[in-house]
Amino acid sequence: MRINIPLSGIFFLGLLSSACSKDSTEPSIVAKVNVSPGTAAMQVGETRQLVVTAEDATGGSVTSPVTWRSSAHEVATVSRTGLVTATGRGSATITATAGGVQGQFLVTVSLPVSSVQISPASPTPVFMGDTLRLTAVGKDSLGNVVWRVPSRGRRIAPAVRWSIPQDW
């Protein structure tokens, strides 16, 4: 017995079988984008390389092209490779997009310390056994306080070291 299947029926069976089978070379869909690190404090002129990983719905790694965008170019710029450059004082969000899904990096940029003010500023007599409490304040070029020592119990500027000259 011979069965005649029209050519359009063979075409439909081919489409049906390819739709039901998963091709392993088919790209996975991006479900999540992680940007590392997630946040940072930077000073004007500093750079930081970001790393992005894309995951599918099962948490598996996915390869996908990434585009980068800064919410505030006057604060931070980002290159096509994810290199962030701090350009001005403020906060910015750097967004990485892969497969239509976004991940973010939050950066706060400050100006470097340009002056240190010590108080009391005038010479104060100190005798053996006396204690003199000094305060140091680091300010940026706009006069904003970047750090203060003592800092109410927190060590903000560990590089500040007090010393008395030997010949004093």
Side-chain angles (χ1 to χ4, degrees), residues 53-130:
T53 54
E55 298 176 359
D56 61 18
T58 65
S61 182
V62 177
T63 302
S64 180
V66 177
T67 58
W68 297 92
R69 188 182 84 245
S70 172
S71 66
H73 295 282
E74 67 279 3
V75 175
T77 60
V78 61
S79 72
R80 290 181 296 164
T81 61
L83 182 66
V84 175
T85 302
T87 55
R89 191 169 172 263
S91 296
T93 301
I94 305 299
T95 303
T97 305
V101 178
Q102 297 180 342
Q104 295 182 329
F105 166 74
L106 306 174
V107 61
T108 302
V109 179
S110 62
L111 296 172
V113 173
S114 63
S115 68
V116 176
Q117 179 182 4
I118 308 280
S119 59
S122 60
T124 305
V126 180
F127 300 99
M128 183 73 72
D130 286 352

Side-chain angles (χ1 to χ4, degrees), residues 24-71:
S24 62
T25 62
E26 213 176 277
S28 297
I29 296 174
V30 176
K32 184 177 181 182
V33 173
N34 299 306
V35 180
S36 192
T39 62
M42 298 173 65
Q43 290 187 349
V44 172
E46 286 185 329
T47 60
R48 172 114 357 126
Q49 180 64 54
L50 302 181
V51 176
V52 67
T53 54
E55 298 176 359
D56 61 18
T58 65
S61 182
V62 177
T63 302
S64 180
V66 177
T67 58
W68 297 92
R69 188 182 84 245
S70 172
S71 66

